Amino acid sequence: MIRLKTYVAPRRAARLRFSRENVYLRDDYTCQYCARRFAPKDLTLDHVVPASKSGRKDWTNVVAACRDCNHRKGDRTPLGANMPLLNEPRVPAWLPSLRPTFRMENVPETWEPYLSTGTG
Ligand SMILES: [Zn+2]
């Protein structure tokens, strides 16, 4: 994944659209609590600080979580649930699908799963 950084300038991050799929991409389809990878259908968006506790729905408060972990964490913070986050959620520096001048013939095969997904 790191090699892709050369394609997109980090300053694009400010314009990154927050969406379910983009959160999954940022977190590499990895549950941020149990550190296992899942198919998108088995992932959920988890509010780190629950919405009921004024947690916002944005890049820094939403992570990918599998159904089990999301259910186990419930309406608690990671601290309250004793479920530390794998990574601190942040605005991603890049995503492959952001390139406005994307040319399909230049797209590596490994990107295809990302290109065919909905934008949430
Ligand atoms: Zn999990």
Side-chain angles (χ1 to χ4, degrees):
M1 297 290 271
I2 285 171
R3 67 198 164 87
L4 298 181
K5 280 185 178 174
T6 57
Y7 289 87
V8 181
R11 57 193 154 88
R12 283 195 194 286
R15 286 187 225 149
L16 252 186
R17 198 163 77 82
F18 177 87
S19 74
R20 175 179 294 268
E21 275 299 328
N22 286 346
V23 171
Y24 292 170
L25 277 169
R26 181 198 62 182
D27 294 342
D28 198 24
Y29 296 94
T30 302
C31 172
Q32 295 300 294
Y33 296 104
C34 67
R36 286 181 296 168
R37 295 191 93 209
F38 291 88
K41 68 178 174 59
D42 294 320
L43 282 170
T44 61
L45 291 184
D46 178 66
H47 282 72
V48 175
V49 176
S52 64
K53 295 181 169 61
S54 307
R56 290 186 304 170
K57 188 170 182 176
D58 65 19
W59 285 114
T60 58
N61 192 50
V62 174
V63 298
C66 71
R67 294 180 191 281
D68 281 355
C69 287
N70 199 332
H71 185 256
R72 194 150 62 91
K73 178 170 173 286
D75 194 25
R76 295 177 294 185
T77 63
L79 195 64
N82 196 23
M83 293 170 65
L85 282 165
L86 195 62
N87 302 298
E88 184 186 336
R90 56 187 62 186
V91 179
W94 56 268
L95 284 176
S97 59
L98 284 183
R99 297 200 68 212
T101 55
F102 227 50
R103 290 171 57 183
M104 293 306 285
E105 64 266 33
N106 293 338
V107 177
E109 263 182 37
T110 51
W111 287 20
E112 283 184 9
Y114 303 120
L115 297 174
S116 59
T117 53
T119 52

